[in-house]
Each structure stands twice: as structure tokens, then as C-alpha cells.
Amino acid sequence: RSPGLLRIMDYILIIYMFTFSSGSPILLGETKMNIQYPNWYDCVSDGYIRSYSSLMKLGPDQVIKDKLKITFKCEEMNGIDS
């Protein structure tokens, strides 16, 4: 591979919501976004935006009460984790 060439790979975003209200993390839900991102940067950027937006919609009272945490990952479309 020549320096400076970018590998073309599509990614999907998977968002996870956890509660830590019992001390240990419990997965409440997993959402695979129905969007194909053309590169890693776009996927990760949207992951942060969507995670933050979700917390804002839930509001501080619910996030604090249920000790909610949102994480995400970007996965290559061929099924190999990235």
C-alpha cells in the first residue's frame, strides 16, 4: 500500500445503553443504525453526537436515577469489528 492512500470501507454504528443502578453494568438495549458511513471518522463523530443527543433527551433526572451510560462502536460492513 502506498503512503497516503486511504482504504475504502463502509461502517455501521451500533449504540449500547447500560444501567449501573445495581452496581454492575446491565445492557438495556442495542441499536444498529441503518446508515452506512463512508469512513471511520464519520461513524465515530455521529456516534458521539447521537450518544450525547440521547442523554439530553432522557434528561438529567432519569440519567442520574438509573445511572445510565451510552457507548457505541463502529463496525466494518464486512462484519469485522473495528
Side-chain angles (χ1 to χ4, degrees):
R1 210 167 101 176
S2 300
L5 285 181
L6 294 177
R7 184 173 163 209
I8 305 292
M9 181 64 62
D10 286 340
Y11 295 89
I12 58 168
L13 176 64
I14 305 170
I15 299 174
Y16 304 93
M17 183 178 292
F18 291 89
T19 178
F20 286 78
S21 61
S22 66
S24 298
I26 298 170
L27 179 63
L28 297 175
E30 171 185 316
T31 304
K32 287 188 180 185
M33 303 307 298
N34 193 24
I35 300 170
Q36 286 187 7
Y37 299 92
N39 58 60
W40 178 262
Y41 176 85
D42 289 349
C43 183
V44 170
S45 297
D46 199 35
Y48 282 112
I49 291 166
R50 289 178 184 273
S51 296
Y52 179 78
S53 295
S54 295
L55 287 177
M56 294 301 100
K57 286 178 187 172
L58 291 167
D61 291 341
Q62 186 173 357
V63 172
I64 292 167
K65 179 176 80 69
D66 296 331
K67 295 184 180 175
L68 299 176
K69 178 182 179 182
I70 298 174
T71 64
F72 64 89
K73 73 175 180 178
C74 294
E75 189 174 275
E76 291 180 2
M77 291 297 292
N78 65 7
I80 299 172
D81 285 353
S82 302

